[in-house]
Amino acid sequence: MKKNWTVSYGGLAKAVCVACLGFAARHAVAQQPPTQSSQSVEEVTVTGTRLITSGVNTPTPVTSVSGVDLQKMSPSTLIESLSQLPVFDNNLASQQAVGGAVAPGGSNLNLRGLDAPRTLVLLDGRRLGPSNKFGTVDVGVIPETLVRSVEAVTGGASAAYGADAVAGVVNFRLDRKLSGLKTAVQAGATNYSDDDTYKVGIGYGTDVGQRGHIIAAVETWHKDGIRSFQSLQDRTDFYNLKAQVTNPDPNGPNFLTRPFVSPTNFTPGGIILQAGSALDHVEFLPDGSGSSQKLPFSGVGQLSGGCNCQARPSLEYGVNSDFEVDTPADRGVLFAHYDHDVSDRDSFFVETLLADTQQANRWQTAALLGPWQARLYVDNPFLPAAVRQQMVAENRQFVGFGIFTPNLTGNPFDGGELIAKNRYGQVTGGFKHDLPDGFFAGGWSLDSYVQYAQNRQETVDPGGMRTDRLFLAMDAVTGPTGQPVCRVTLFNPGVFDSCKPINLIGGTAAVTPDATHYVIDDGKIARGRVTEEDAEVTLAGNLTKGSGGVLGPITAAFGLSWREEQLGVRTVDPCDEFPCTIEGVMMSSLGLAAPGSRGILAQFNPTTGAPQAFGIPGLRFVPSGFAGDANSSTVLFSSQRTVEGGYTTREAFFEFGIPLLQNGKLNFDEALRVVHYSGSGEATPWKTGISYQITPRFRVRGTLSQDVRAPTLRERFESQRGGVNVTDPANGNALISTANFSGGNPDVGLETARTSVYGFVYQPLDKFSVTLDKYDINLDDAIGQLTAQQEVNACYNSPGHNSSSLCQYVIRDAANQIVRVDSLFINLSNMRVRGFDLELNYAGINLGGGILSWRFFGTRLDENSILTPGTPRDDRAGDLGSAPPAGGLPKNKATTNLTYARGPISVFLQERYVGGGVNDHTKVESTTRIAGLTTIDNNSVDSVLYTDLTFGYSGGGKGGSMRWDTFLTVNNLTNETPPATYQVVGRAGVAGPNTYLYDTLGRRFTVGVRVNF
């Protein structure tokens, strides 16, 4: 019987019998050029095609890396290893992961920087279920102990695999034939004795009777994270508060790039912001004493307006003192797979995968700045006497108050964090039947499987700030007994009797336990559930035997598939989304908040003085950013609206491989898929490919495809309600604070991409090969959101001020006032990504009694642009300073490594290169101002080179059943710091370097042992 099995196939392969491209120590296998011999070849299934073929001349480029090499590149996690391959941009790892409504949480792959939902992730050729409403797959659920190789198809593959494969496909192949027991234990830490990690993995495989085989794995991984202030101080070369500041020189560039930057409109102890007052920019020292001083200003920056920031003469962390260098994370995986040959032609398998992942991020608590800025009233009993006297002298009833309280360990608000907990479960069963050799030209197999996957996500905020209670507590007065009380208790007997006045003057040092208990929540839990059900049947084999001359045997694959995804999201306690008293009574039920509103209102409008519907009697002020239906942060600075929805997909596909000329020197690959997405329409993605073996050592190849992506559950069904500020050109450009619906659109359509990839494979020597491929992805109808202001402007600028299709999202009342702006996902833009991939492989070289192997991966990004209505095309390629997706996109990246093994000793040396670029692609470097442009004094970012080194020593395996090896890996061997990048000051202070792109942890050591029985 002909065997049908799977191996890795890289774009360089020309071997008659394809070998894995990885060059593991002492196991590197040289690829040989195809020969004219008539030797038989075993058939394999190659990622990127559904055909059963020899794999020698497929036109689709595939980058393949062995599991052994991935462990050497970075022994911590799969996502960290894969992030070192240049084809990935802005992968999401635990250092960046935040769950719930903020980000997906988990470990997500991002091919070409086109965003993770456009990368399809497979496990042994089958889809993994999504881990969240964002539609992304957490690769942390994959059993790393069993990973044999990872293959990345760096081009569109929707015709072969369906939706989401716009940027490409990443396929994780497991060692299905594992026999025996394999164990691995490792531990690590940084050069600064922090961020301790450990990982334990056990894999096992054995035959069951004569026809069965089982493999199983259990794994656990833990990372402490880096949260202490001492660890931040240890890394002053990594984190020294670099940012853009407004240039005070009107003749110089608009912005200057400087270190030691801090905001001037909020401080850890609080700052008075009142233009025209002698108290303006008087800051309170963060010791709770009430002591104050005029904010020292260096003159570099802008005290009020502009960046609201300054460059200090030396490093002062201030509001950034709680900066989290790395996040705590945990991971646990349990996997089992059993396959059984019922007969020589029939087999079945069952498989289960269970995984728990968790990551935590510090979260803001008292963040009162900008539209969220608070007030201090003259009758506040906590107000220092000198400040009160000045306010009385100026006849001021209040002053503005900006503060950001760092969540340092030990302060009253140190429980402010978001924790994303994911529990993933998957059950798969399949059946395979090999048809008789007389069926067409033989070699036919019928494969089918069904799969159910579910991910349950909990987003936990164990100690979040109640913005619906904070302003009740801040509006303090002297009560009848002479003690501070909440003013609302005097106006609402029996309703707010539990309110405790809070003193934030001087930061958290003077906050009492009672006040903390009142304004800090007892724990929020938001739950989400995503399910995916799949069923697929594929028939593949040889359609014809060929003529033996011009036409070779035609291979074919046909299939049907069905998929359904469902989403359900809710917050367990409604009081964690809507204003409530501390006793758990909804304020809306007391008539103190509008039904459905996520914010409270002051009794009188702070601007006009008019009474407000649902205003709380006695409450004088709520910042506009927290007020009523315009509340953009909800009661806990996190939001998880109730969401339900789902969709189904029905697909039929076929693919043909047509070899021409003698021995298949010329090969055509044609594929077509017919797809119906409920709610989003129909599509027919297709692919055409060609491969031509010009000489035994030189082959050209190319593919052209049309690919599709269906909207995610979030893009179709999520609904978030908050507030937004817009200027209204229909009313004299008045600044309007209004309600805003954002999120899902059930009518959003499909994305379509036209992708071309063409290049060559050259093998000048038996053990040396070169591949070069040019890629071009042109994505139309890209799904995205316009800002509320863009929608208002587009509607007003249309004929009659009402003819644009976007006018339906700007809702006005009878007086033509904006009452709501909807920012829904729509098909609005075009994206273009193009460049080159280069791969070199020199494997299995005999040198000095050992074996030397070398591999090089390089990528050139020529364009990563987006075109949205009403704006010029925005090319982000080369932007290294901006946050993703607008930045973190170097034009040049490369990874190269050497492995040398002799006897029991092996050495692995790797260099990772990130090319230089610009700090902010929206600005122009100049020494002067230029009309119509935004200029900056330094807009260049240097390149960086990271070095990784692994030493290995192995033993056993001769005359005994046990084999073992130990290793020591040093990542970032030279403790290279990130190149200087300068972002803008945000609402949490100064952001650090781009962790998606640069190493911000420093030198890291990992030591471990692996034992196989």
Side-chain angles (χ1 to χ4, degrees), residues 10 170 183 229 238 327 402 404 558 628 717 722 833 873 932 938 1008:
V170 181
T183 62
F229 184 49
F238 291 75
T327 58
F404 186 97
F558 308 89
F717 300 110
V833 177
R873 181 172 290 276
N938 178 16

Side-chain angles (χ1 to χ4, degrees), residues 127-209:
R127 282 176 176 262
L128 280 168
S131 300
N132 44 61
K133 63 188 177 185
F134 296 83
T136 57
V137 171
D138 182 1
V139 299
V141 307
I142 294 171
E144 297 181 8
T145 304
L146 300 178
V147 170
R148 180 165 57 88
S149 66
V150 179
E151 300 169 353
V153 178
T154 52
S158 291
Y161 294 106
D164 307 334
V166 171
V169 177
V170 181
N171 187 19
F172 293 84
R173 293 193 180 276
L174 303 185
D175 185 1
R176 299 290 185 182
K177 302 302 181 182
L178 173 65
S179 181
L181 179 69
K182 58 188 301 186
T183 62
V185 179
Q186 67 181 55
T190 74
N191 190 63
Y192 306 99
S193 301
D194 54 20
D195 211 16
D196 291 355
T197 64
Y198 69 79
K199 182 165 70 173
V200 178
I202 301 174
Y204 180 71
T206 187
D207 290 333
V208 179

